[in-house]
Amino acid sequence: MPEKNNDSCCEICGAIRKTRKTGGVEACSTCRTVISCVRNHPDLVRKIWPLYQDEPILLHAERISSAEPMELPDVLDGKRYRTVDREDNKWYLSVSEINGNPVEVFASTAFDRNHELQSRISNLTTITRLISLILRHIFLHEPLTMSKCLKQIQRSSRQKNDLPDMLYGVLSRYNRNPEEAGRNQSVP
Ligand SMILES: [Zn+2]
């Protein structure tokens, strides 16, 4: 019977085999070979990959990492759409565009000063701020981070304990890079 004492779980493929620490991970011999190829010969991996694989995984990863994030220019084209909701409130939805792509959305309404609607407006602000963040990620390759999401949620809050404020309180517990948020909002 072969001894099983030295076997452990490969952190890469999950197989229960003899593993060794390579490049910071506990890996089996097969995975160690792959790791060493990827670390030492990425150009070869890139060259060989399309010969045997249809999925452009490496090409895609390369495209995303090499795409330079684009800064929002000071002046943006935009369109404003007037809409009416089911309760007959009039809304203005503004979409800023770059090359015809939406990169920011805003919603405004005539009843902005109405106190009863403050919470509704803060919820709406959360939605449009997060959508804008996603749009800038899609079209301008702006990195999407937890800290940025949190910052947008926090800025959407209008009153203590409104929905964005509560969401911020809960989600900021998961932020692993609090220093990147710029404020000392870290939690234990
Ligand atoms: Zn493995």
Side-chain angles (χ1 to χ4, degrees):
M1 279 275 301
E3 285 193 23
K4 287 221 148 186
N5 292 351
N6 297 330
D7 291 1
S8 60
C9 185
C10 170
E11 283 180 45
I12 304 289
C13 69
I16 307 295
R17 293 174 65 184
K18 226 170 249 170
T19 62
R20 211 191 304 152
K21 199 97 174 170
T22 302
V25 290
E26 202 65 44
C28 71
S29 66
T30 305
C31 291
R32 285 203 301 275
T33 308
V34 179
I35 289 170
S36 120
C37 287
V38 171
R39 290 180 83 193
N40 304 321
H41 308 286
D43 45 332
L44 293 183
V45 174
R46 213 173 282 140
K47 210 168 182 175
I48 294 167
W49 184 275
L51 298 180
Y52 303 101
Q53 300 293 339
D54 286 336
E55 291 174 78
I57 296 173
L58 288 175
L59 294 175
H60 189 61
E62 186 184 37
R63 185 171 61 75
I64 284 183
S65 63
S66 65
E68 279 292 306
M70 187 178 158
E71 288 242 337
L72 270 190
D74 291 338
V75 180
L76 282 176
D77 287 331
K79 292 200 179 74
R80 196 197 66 178
Y81 299 83
R82 191 177 59 220
T83 57
V84 177
D85 69 16
R86 58 204 297 163
E87 284 139 32
D88 274 341
N89 300 305
K90 207 184 278 175
W91 292 87
Y92 297 105
L93 303 180
S94 303
V95 181
S96 307
E97 299 177 352
I98 292 182
N99 302 327
N101 293 319
V103 291
E104 260 180 354
V105 287
F106 300 99
S108 55
T109 164
F111 51 79
D112 198 71
R113 297 279 158 237
N114 182 328
H115 272 283
E116 285 167 22
L117 288 168
Q118 294 301 302
S119 65
R120 220 171 112 185
I121 292 165
S122 67
N123 296 351
L124 181 75
T125 308
T126 314
I127 294 170
T128 53
R129 278 177 174 273
L130 291 179
I131 291 174
S132 297
L133 192 62
I134 293 168
L135 290 174
R136 291 199 300 274
H137 176 67
I138 295 171
F139 293 110
L140 305 179
H141 309 289
E142 183 184 304
L144 192 52
T145 65
M146 183 67 171
S147 294
K148 284 184 186 181
C149 292
L150 287 171
K151 194 160 86 180
Q152 296 303 331
I153 295 170
Q154 186 186 28
R155 287 181 178 176
S156 307
S157 167
R158 293 198 154 210
Q159 292 161 312
K160 186 124 191 72
N161 292 329
D162 60 7
L163 188 62
D165 188 41
M166 291 188 297
L167 273 173
Y168 177 81
V170 170
L171 286 177
S172 56
R173 291 165 182 270
Y174 299 90
N175 191 15
R176 303 221 164 81
N177 287 310
E179 71 281 357
E180 165 193 321
R183 298 257 304 263
N184 53 345
Q185 295 288 347
S186 64
V187 278

